[in-house]
């Protein structure tokens, strides 16, 4: 099973450990991982700014780079949602060679690799930052808006396979963190107010480590937390599943 | 002023903004509890969405059928192409009956058309009778929410308004006492009114009846006491059959406040004996919206307000920050279709978190519409030009692996350097947030070593 790994641009530059944890997790579960060096960005920043023509150039490049693999896997729910939900709109049929085989790392591990156990442990009190696109576009978990549906959460299911895992419960488990890409700059005041509320929710639950399926949320939350010396730690879920937080 | 500045003003008072957030989150929580008691909720939403889609696709026929049925019931039907025509028609009916004083129950349509201002300018007295609407009317403010018009006000502020306008004791801040004072004042006005204007929640085509939902019974008093009742509705309020009504009454109150049904769900079939009943049907940009594929589903809105209560931006920035008749996610998709220039910041006042889409009882794809509006606005030449230029550059960089690598190296170097060399975007980021520490190696570099 040849897996093409997509690493979002900001993860490549700022969070190499999240990328490496993804590589190791996949390899340890028998995947033949390749990181095509020609990859750039999924194009989401342009699409969200309303510049879908410019996003289309990045999207076509993504399709060219990845169409030869059996699967495309990424440690970012947001980029995967972009590929699955926006590519068909902005590049049409050209998207079909990647749309159905692109997966976020958690859903890939559970639904394709069918992981049932992990060689990892964690000693921290952990809060899950449910990233919005993971929850409401990829449906990695039942959103709090849909309480009449059966409850499940793929990130939680995987974290519970980690030895010693202690998950804390939040008051608003899937409230948006306020990042939102350009929103974090355009609407800086609301964005930071939302982030502060999330940090307070993590702290009232006594969390020590906040994990997410998207580093972008954590870049925003971590930036706020570090400025205010809140003392919280942040990690991509792949790092915890890979045993990097033993 | 655009949304970010208006929002910054509301957020600056962090105690108030966080109280507002909590109050609306409380409403959302009640909605969740009501929804979890209905196992078939998601099917009900699907049914609601389908009935609305069908109604919008057959709107022309349904409206004509509705008109004929109303006429058979003795209701006079009027058609208005836009807000000014609507106001002229309503004024004409009132003037014919020499009405000087009228009472009005909640209607976002008359808010949209500016009916109160129009009638007041012609010397008529218009009293809003929904408690929240009455409060904002006394303060000369627009409503900040479509279901909870005065949700931006704390009880002390309301006490002050009542003290100034109705002479209640300055220290009377108890909710029950304030409500009693308003009710006493309103009773007088109901008795004096010569006409009642109401909105319409649902217009049933096969029966020619209008349905009005309230919790206070104010629409019933307003429509029942005076001889003259005028009901004002947008063309999209039509539902095909009486049998469809229960789908919506089940969805509406649960979504709005978590109640199983509104306290009053009144069906108006015909004029009262000796009285007159008029229905004014208004387009005001709706048929144009119906012609826009990406946005027409927004016409299915039943104005429950759930998308506002769940919106993390609305909860923190307050309804007035949208500067549109309807605020929140649905307002942000409706407003640009009328006036893209004024409202060009609204589709960007969202993280696209998608919560609105998932609470909407008629499954309007709200966050997808906001995204689609961003593209439309950029095409029309609105939005931030500087940002668009940088996106064009980014588009070029990101479709070329070589340029991309160079840009990555550049960013890593820039972020290690002094802050004043950073572009203004990065400076904005840094006002309240740190940037992550720049690692010694990028992922690419580490991966290359890992492969060896
Ligand atoms: S868009 Fe949906 S959730 Fe928002 S007010 Fe309308 S019906 Fe309610």
């Amino acid at each position: 099973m040849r897996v093409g790994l997509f690493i979002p641009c900001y993860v490549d530059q700022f969070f190499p450990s999240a990328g490496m944890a993804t590589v190791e997790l996949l390899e340890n579960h028998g995947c033949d991982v390749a990181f095509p060096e020609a990859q750039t960005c999924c194009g989401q920043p342009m699409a969200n700014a309303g510049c879908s023509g410019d996003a289309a150039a990045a999207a076509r490049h993504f399709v060219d780079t990845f169409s030869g693999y059996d699967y495309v896997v990424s440690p970012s729910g947001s980029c995967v949602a972009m590929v699955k939900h926006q590519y068909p709109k902005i590049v049409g049929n050209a998207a079909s060679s990647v749309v159905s085989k692109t997966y976020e790392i958690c859903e890939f591990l559970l639904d394709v690799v069918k992981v049932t156990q992990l060689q990892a442990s964690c000693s921290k009190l952990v809060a899950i930052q449910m990233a919005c696109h993971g929850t409401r576009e990829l449906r990695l978990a039942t959103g709090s808006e849909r309480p009449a549906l059966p409850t499940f959460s793929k990130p939680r299911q995987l974290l519970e396979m980690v030895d010693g895992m202690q998950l804390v419960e939040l008051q608003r488990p899937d409230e948006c963190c306020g990042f939102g890409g350009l929103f974090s700059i355009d609407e800086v005041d609301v964005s930071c107010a939302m982030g502060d509320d999330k940090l307070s929710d993590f702290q009232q639950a006594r969390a020590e480590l906040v994990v997410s399926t998207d580093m972008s949320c954590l870049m925003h939350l971590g930036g706020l937390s570090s400025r205010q010396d809140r003392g919280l730690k942040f990690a991509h879920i792949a790092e915890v599943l890979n045993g990097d937080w033993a | 002023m655009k949304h970010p500045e208006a929002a910054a003003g509301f957020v600056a008072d962090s105690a108030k903004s966080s109280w507002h957030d909590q109050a609306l989150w409380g409403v959302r929580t009640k909605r969740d509890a009501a929804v979890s008691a209905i196992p078939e909720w998601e099917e009900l939403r699907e049914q609601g969405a389908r009935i609305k889609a069908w109604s919008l696709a057959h709107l022309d026929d349904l409206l004509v059928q509705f008109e004929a049925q109303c006429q058979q019931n003795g209701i006079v039907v009027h058609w208005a192409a836009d807000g000014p025509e609507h106001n002229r028609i309503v004024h004409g009916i009132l003037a014919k009956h020499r009405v000087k004083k009228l009472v009005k129950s909640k209607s976002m349509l008359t808010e949209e058309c500016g009916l109160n201002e129009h009638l007041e300018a012609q010397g008529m007295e218009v009293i809003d009778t929904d408690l929240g609407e009455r409060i904002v009317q006394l303060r000369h403010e627009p409503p900040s929410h479509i279901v909870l018009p005065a949700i931006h006000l704390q009880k002390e502020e309301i006490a002050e308004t009542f003290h100034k306008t109705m002479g209640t004791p300055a220290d009377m801040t108890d909710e029950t006492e304030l409500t009693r004072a308003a009710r006493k004042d309103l009773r007088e006005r109901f008795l004096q009114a010569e006409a009642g204007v109401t909105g319409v929640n649902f217009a049933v085509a096969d029966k020619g009846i209008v349905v009005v939902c309230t919790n206070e019974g104010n629409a019933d008093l307003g429509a029942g006491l005076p001889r003259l009742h005028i009901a004002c509705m947008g063309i999209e309020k039509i539902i095909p059959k009486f049998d469809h009504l229960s789908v919506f009454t089940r969805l509406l109150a649960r979504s709005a406040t978590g109640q199983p049904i509104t306290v009053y769900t009144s069906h108006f079939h015909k004029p009262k004996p000796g009285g007159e009943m008029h229905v004014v049907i208004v387009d005001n940009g709706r048929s144009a919206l119906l012609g826009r594929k990406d946005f027409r589903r927004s016409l299915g809105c039943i104005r429950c307000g759930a998308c506002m209560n769940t919106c993390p931006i609305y909860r923190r920035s307050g309804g007035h920050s949208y500067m549109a008749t309807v605020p929140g996610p649905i307002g942000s998709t409706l407003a640009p279709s009328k006036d893209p220039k004024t409202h060009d910041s609204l589709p960007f006042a969202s993280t696209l978190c998608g919560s609105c889409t998932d609470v909407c009882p008629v499954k309007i794809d709200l966050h997808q519409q906001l995204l689609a509006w961003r593209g439309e606005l950029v095409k029309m030449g609105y939005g931030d030009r500087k940002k668009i230029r940088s996106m064009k550059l980014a588009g070029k960089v990101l479709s070329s692996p070589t340029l991309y690598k160079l840009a990555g190296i550049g960013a890593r170097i820039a972020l290690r350097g002094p802050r004043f060399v950073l572009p203004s975007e990065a400076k904005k980021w840094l006002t309240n947030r740190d940037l992550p520490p720049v690692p010694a190696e990028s992922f690419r570099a580490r991966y290359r070593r890992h492969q060896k």
Side-chain angles (χ1 to χ4, degrees), chain B residues 52 59 200-204 232-239 299 301-303:
Chain B
K52 278 290 178 180
L59 201 52
V200 171
N201 289 91
F202 306 101
V204 187
C232 304
M233 60 176 265
I235 54 172
E236 81 286 11
K237 293 290 162 195
I238 289 278
I239 59 170
L299 286 169
C301 173
I302 58 171
R303 299 287 190 270

Side-chain angles (χ1 to χ4, degrees), chain B residues 38-58:
Chain B
I38 307 276
E40 72 276 23
W41 181 256
E42 294 300 324
E43 286 106 275
L44 202 59
R45 286 177 77 215
E46 183 61 32
Q47 259 189 324
R50 283 177 184 216
I51 298 169
K52 278 290 178 180
W54 196 90
S55 309
L56 290 171
H58 299 83

Side-chain angles (χ1 to χ4, degrees), chain B residues 75-96:
Chain B
I75 300 170
V76 188
V77 179
H78 310 258
W79 299 87
D82 54 20
E85 187 176 4
H86 160 266
N87 294 346
R88 277 198 303 278
I89 291 171
V90 176
H91 177 259
I93 305 166
L94 294 168
K96 202 174 121 209

Side-chain angles (χ1 to χ4, degrees), chain B residues 297-316:
Chain B
R297 284 170 68 186
S298 61
L299 286 169
C301 173
I302 58 171
R303 299 287 190 270
C304 71
C307 57
M308 284 150 225
N309 306 339
T310 204
C311 177
I313 287 93
Y314 174 92
R315 275 190 261 115
R316 290 175 183 82

